[in-house]
Amino acid sequence: VRLGITAPAHVAVHRREIYDAICRANRAAASDPTMLDRLAASLRAVVLPDRSKP
Amino acid sequence: MRLVDWRELPVATATALLAQEGRWWRSHLGWNLDPAFEDVERARELGRLPGIVVAAEDGRPAAWAFFAADGTVVQIGAMAAATAEAGRLLVRTIVRAAEDVQASAIGALVRPGVPGAAEELTALGFDLETYRYLEAPTAAFREFAPEIRLCIAADLPHLPALFACAYRDSTETRPFAPNGTAAEWEAYVRQLVHTRGCGEFQIRASVVAGGAALEGAALVTALSESTAHLAQVAVAPEARRRGLGRRLVVAAASAARARGLSRITLFVAGQNARAIDLYDGLGFSPTTSFVAAVRRQPRPLISVADATGGASTFR
């Protein structure tokens, strides 16, 4: 059976400036309510309270 | 201990954690996960792959994991821990995040040497199954039965249906396709064919039997320059008890040998006695074992059917 690590699909990025542009675009477009985004949001909620500690 | 969103880790720190994990897989199992971890690091930097780091008092990572959502199933992608306390906190945190987004199931594969993880998953109500990791040299495999052919791209869309019917009556706990839906089997095939978390898919060492509606398949990936991996073997229920599974395994191992891969490995569920006997008879020997854990959600916590005349509560 297929067991191993669960990796994301390979995305070939050859030029650093294109890669950087994708990063910026992704940070800007955080409005898609997909499962992953909701997961990410809840993850932030889990992590945030801890930041208030010294 | 402190929780940190792993997407905020400096590149150097994340790269070091992934390199350390890669060394474990290479030295213990002969897997080269460098290409997979490159994809992981890229997705992390792009903010597409959530993960958690448990930091010790001195700020150094004591445990970490990343996780992904395929449809509504949350899969813990990889996990490492230095102490049981950190491992348990890590698992609790991920499960809480998955509960918050109402995932339909949570799956994890715990490799040997992750203290606390299996204990915490058990405490949280997960079903656990041991998967044995087997290996064999490919030198002895030199048969390719006439009913079997090499897999071609046109076969790939038919694999989810084959796997769905092959696993319909199985009772083993599986962290993949936990609910057995068509979408989950499609995601499973996508993971196998298009990602590198279980080696690089080798279509020319993978074999199938049957026409468009496949009777069986044995899919092979390459884990390193020398190691092939039998990532999935499946036989449709109506094609069973004819030795097709055995012939598929032999043909796949023969094709892997012909492509210069000298060793072949696979995972088999501890309770799948029939498959274990088959692999034992073909000369496979056990190396180590992993623990797979699954919890389907929402799970009934308390049944109040009797008290309410039919209604039940779900957490």
Side-chain angles (χ1 to χ4, degrees):
Chain A
V1 298
R2 188 233 171 267
L3 297 173
I5 70 157
T6 300
H10 177 62
V11 183
V13 177
H14 301 294
R15 291 171 54 181
R16 182 76 207 185
E17 60 270 31
I18 295 172
Y19 171 66
D20 289 343
I22 295 170
C23 286
R24 282 195 301 274
N26 268 287
R27 285 187 197 116
S31 57
D32 180 21
T34 62
M35 175 76 180
L36 194 59
D37 290 326
R38 288 192 290 136
L39 186 58
S42 93
L43 174 58
R44 279 191 291 276
V46 169
V47 172
L48 276 171
D50 211 68
R51 288 211 188 106
S52 58
K53 292 180 189 167
Chain B
M1 287 187 293
R2 200 167 53 88
L3 297 171
V4 179
D5 184 334
W6 90 319
R7 289 168 294 188
E8 290 167 12
L9 286 183
V11 171
T13 309
T15 306
L17 288 178
L18 293 172
Q20 186 181 19
E21 184 67 7
R23 280 194 296 278
W24 187 92
W25 285 84
R26 186 184 275 282
S27 64
H28 288 82
L29 304 179
W31 289 39
N32 174 17
L33 282 177
D34 294 352
F37 284 138
E38 277 170 30
D39 296 339
V40 165
E41 175 56 12
R42 184 159 287 150
R44 185 192 73 87
E45 288 178 33
L46 289 168
R48 288 179 184 165
L49 202 58
I52 290 266
V53 177
V54 176
E57 297 310 325
D58 62 4
R60 290 158 66 148
W64 62 270
F66 62 84
F67 47 107
D70 240 334
T72 61
V73 177
V74 170
Q75 289 284 356
I76 299 180
M79 184 166 29
T83 66
E85 192 191 5
R88 295 188 80 138
L89 175 59
L90 178 71
V91 168
R92 270 202 307 280
T93 307
I94 297 170
V95 169
R96 208 168 100 199
E99 283 171 349
D100 282 354
V101 294
Q102 290 158 352
S104 66
I106 310 169
L109 178 70
V110 184
R111 65 161 173 79
V114 185
E119 292 82 353
E120 188 64 25
L121 289 163
T122 304
L124 291 172
F126 278 68
D127 292 325
L128 267 61
E129 167 86 87
T130 299
Y131 277 83
R132 301 183 194 185
Y133 188 57
L134 312 182
E135 68 172 4
T138 58
F141 295 102
R142 288 170 187 276
E143 284 170 57
F144 206 102
E147 77 204 285
I148 291 167
R149 60 185 172 82
L150 284 176
C151 184
I152 56 170
D155 294 319
L156 301 180
H158 301 286
L159 290 172
L162 171 65
F163 298 161
C165 77
Y167 278 93
R168 196 178 297 135
D169 301 318
S170 86
T171 54
E172 65 207 41
T173 296
R174 49 171 202 268
F176 50 88
N179 304 300
T181 65
E184 286 177 7
W185 285 113
E186 280 162 22
Y188 177 73
V189 171
R190 210 164 44 239
Q191 270 282 322
L192 203 162
V193 172
H194 297 295
T195 78
R196 303 189 282 183
C198 178
E200 188 116 28
F201 181 55
Q202 304 288 302
I203 194 165
R204 297 180 67 186
S206 299
V207 297
V208 296
L214 298 171
E215 289 186 332
L219 305 181
V220 172
T221 64
L223 298 173
S224 68
E225 311 74 38
S226 59
T227 302
H229 184 63
L230 209 41
Q232 181 65 56
V233 179
V235 175
E238 61 274 16
R240 285 181 189 162
R241 287 173 290 279
R242 306 196 312 243
L244 179 59
R246 182 191 174 90
R247 292 193 294 278
L248 284 164
V249 171
V250 169
S254 303
R257 179 191 56 75
R259 298 193 64 75
L261 297 154
S262 59
R263 168 180 175 256
I264 188 160
T265 68
L266 62 90
F267 282 107
V268 63
Q271 64 166 275
N272 191 348
R274 218 168 51 178
I276 289 170
D277 282 350
L278 163 70
Y279 296 128
D280 188 48
L282 287 171
F284 282 84
S285 52
T287 59
T288 185
S289 30
F290 284 57
V291 172
V294 180
R295 199 179 77 184
R296 291 166 70 173
Q297 324 258 124
R299 63 206 167 101
L301 189 62
I302 312 158
S303 171
V304 290
D306 292 340
T308 60
S312 355
T313 57
F314 292 87
R315 45 177 261 137

